Amino acid sequence: MGNWQRQFGSQLRVVDLLQEGTTKLQDGGIAEPRLNVEWLLSNLLRKRRAELYIDELEKPTNSEVVTKFRALIERRLQQEPLQYLTGETEFMSLPFKVTPAVLIPRLDTEILVEHTLQAIPPEKAIKILDIGTGCGNIAISLAHYRPQVEIVAVDVAPEAIRLAKENAKINKVEKQIRFLVADVLGEDFVAQFDSKFDFVVSNPPYISEKEFSTLPIEVRQFEPAIALQGGDDGLTFHRRIAMVTSELLTSGGQLFLEVGYNQSQMVQRILKKSGFYSIRTFRDLAGIERVVTGVVS
Ligand code: SAM
Ligand code: GLN
């Protein structure tokens, strides 16, 4: 065998892996098989997805890449979410690292962030509390798009806080955010803060017990239950957050909560009972009331 052949002869090219992976995922019933494979390959080869098609397709791959690629395809066939396989995602056009310790940021949550951004007065330095920050996506986006705000971001999961800190550095907003491990259900939650906030924002766990078993395997089996389960009726956290934030907000301060598809009415009622006024809702792209907001007196 000549040198060239020894190096490349029997080797698979990028295009071969692209085809092999796409066929396997398609046969395994994974939606958007080709797109999935493009993301996996571009992540593995450290190329942008479009670059794969510019000058990578005919290039030979080495056996290490092939082995890694096939292992990833097997994991994807088991319905492990793509973002856990690549370790990254995008939210509000910013890059975020994700691990199985955190929920993968959802497009719906951009609605929560966009309405919060709109409510922030330009130039005014305000303080925001983000409860259940996960990978930090909400806090980091608010800090990036409003450089004058100061944020405290909390989560009960230490691994989420570790990752969120890393994401803040990646997005160069670490000076604007203080990250804390804290349990919003704990009795001493309010006592941990030495001053009040102008805004509180949260996408808390809100899946009810009954609904949890109906979630797709991708979510139920792979994403952290602690990020999803909102107790019996799914509203444990909304009730608790409404209660604690009426104490944590300055007078005239505003709370922004993400809610499940059928929870808007009940969350509006919870806010009313906790003394909030100017209660409003915002719809997501599917027309579902996704955000409930209210002001404290
Ligand atoms: N903010 C991220 C987002 O919007 O994509 C993650 C939201 S995820 C639905 C809810 C987050 O709340 C998880 O990161 C979870 O670890 C955190 N959490 C669960 N129980 C909590 C508690 N008792 N106190 C504080 N955070 C909690
Ligand atoms: N939106 C998530 C889902 O569809 C739930 C997130 C949450 O509980 N806040 O599974």
Side-chain angles (χ1 to χ4, degrees):
M1 228 197 278
N3 212 18
W4 183 85
Q5 262 181 324
R6 205 170 312 126
Q7 254 188 312
F8 303 129
S10 55
Q11 280 174 354
L12 294 165
R13 297 162 304 164
V14 171
V15 64
D16 299 321
L17 293 188
L18 198 57
Q19 272 158 8
E20 178 187 308
T22 304
T23 306
K24 276 197 189 153
L25 293 189
Q26 191 155 27
D27 292 349
I30 302 293
E32 301 185 296
R34 190 171 188 97
L35 196 61
N36 273 259
V37 176
E38 287 171 2
W39 281 116
L40 290 175
L41 264 180
S42 67
N43 182 261
L44 205 55
L45 300 170
R46 304 197 186 292
K47 301 277 172 197
R48 290 174 158 277
R49 202 157 56 89
E51 280 176 336
L52 289 181
Y53 290 98
I54 298 168
D55 50 17
E56 294 299 309
L57 283 184
E58 295 299 325
K59 285 193 184 160
T61 57
N62 61 42
S63 59
E64 197 191 326
V65 165
V66 175
T67 307
K68 280 189 183 161
F69 175 71
R70 286 182 176 154
L72 289 170
I73 292 291
E74 286 312 311
R75 286 168 66 186
R76 189 69 193 96
L77 281 169
Q78 301 304 312
Q79 301 196 44
E80 188 164 344
L82 181 63
Q83 293 90 334
Y84 290 154
L85 299 179
T86 61
E88 59 191 22
T89 192
E90 226 183 68
F91 181 81
M92 294 294 293
S93 305
L94 301 173
F96 290 90
K97 282 198 181 181
V98 289
T99 71
V102 296
L103 189 92
I104 298 162
R106 304 290 204 267
L107 197 57
D108 289 336
T109 305
E110 294 192 353
I111 305 289
L112 176 68
V113 171
E114 274 167 7
H115 286 285
T116 308
L117 284 173
Q118 275 178 28
I120 299 174
E123 314 283 310
K124 196 170 166 208
I126 67 161
K127 291 185 90 175
I128 303 176
L129 173 64
D130 172 21
I131 300 175
T133 197
C135 73
N137 53 316
I138 295 175
I140 290 167
S141 308
L142 293 174
H144 172 88
Y145 291 105
R146 293 290 184 275
Q148 81 275 19
V149 305
E150 251 178 60
I151 302 176
V152 176
V154 304
D155 204 290
V156 75
E159 175 56 19
I161 290 297
R162 196 199 59 73
L163 188 68
K165 283 181 180 168
E166 205 181 323
N167 280 324
K169 285 210 179 95
I170 290 171
N171 286 287
K172 302 194 172 63
V173 292
E174 72 272 22
K175 291 208 179 84
Q176 278 171 268
I177 310 175
R178 189 157 68 91
F179 290 99
L180 277 182
V181 176
D183 177 2
V184 69
L185 303 178
E187 268 176 31
D188 60 346
F189 184 73
V190 173
Q192 300 175 70
F193 305 99
D194 44 23
S195 60
K196 295 198 171 192
F197 297 91
D198 301 292
F199 285 5
V200 172
V201 60
S202 182
N203 170 19
Y206 55 62
I207 307 293
S208 69
E209 250 167 44
K210 212 167 108 206
E211 221 169 322
F212 189 73
S213 60
T214 69
L215 293 178
I217 290 180
E218 268 196 45
V219 179
R220 177 164 39 99
Q221 206 164 302
F222 292 98
E223 300 204 68
I226 197 177
L228 295 164
Q229 292 177 330
D232 204 15
D233 65 351
L235 296 170
T236 300
F237 287 89
H238 298 87
R239 277 190 212 99
R240 175 69 181 159
I241 290 170
M243 200 169 105
V244 294
T245 55
S246 54
E247 285 181 65
L248 279 171
L249 281 166
T250 54
S251 169
Q254 194 167 354
L255 169 63
F256 295 84
L257 282 176
E258 180 169 321
V259 302
Y261 72 94
N262 54 0
Q263 294 174 337
S264 168
Q265 294 282 336
M266 299 210 283
V267 173
Q268 291 179 59
R269 223 171 295 144
I270 290 170
L271 292 202
K272 220 168 274 168
K273 266 201 201 154
S274 306
F276 286 80
Y277 67 95
S278 283
I279 296 166
R280 283 184 299 154
T281 61
F282 301 111
R283 290 173 194 274
D284 65 18
L285 301 173
I288 292 165
E289 289 183 356
R290 186 56 70 187
V291 176
V292 178
T293 179
V295 174
V296 285
S297 36

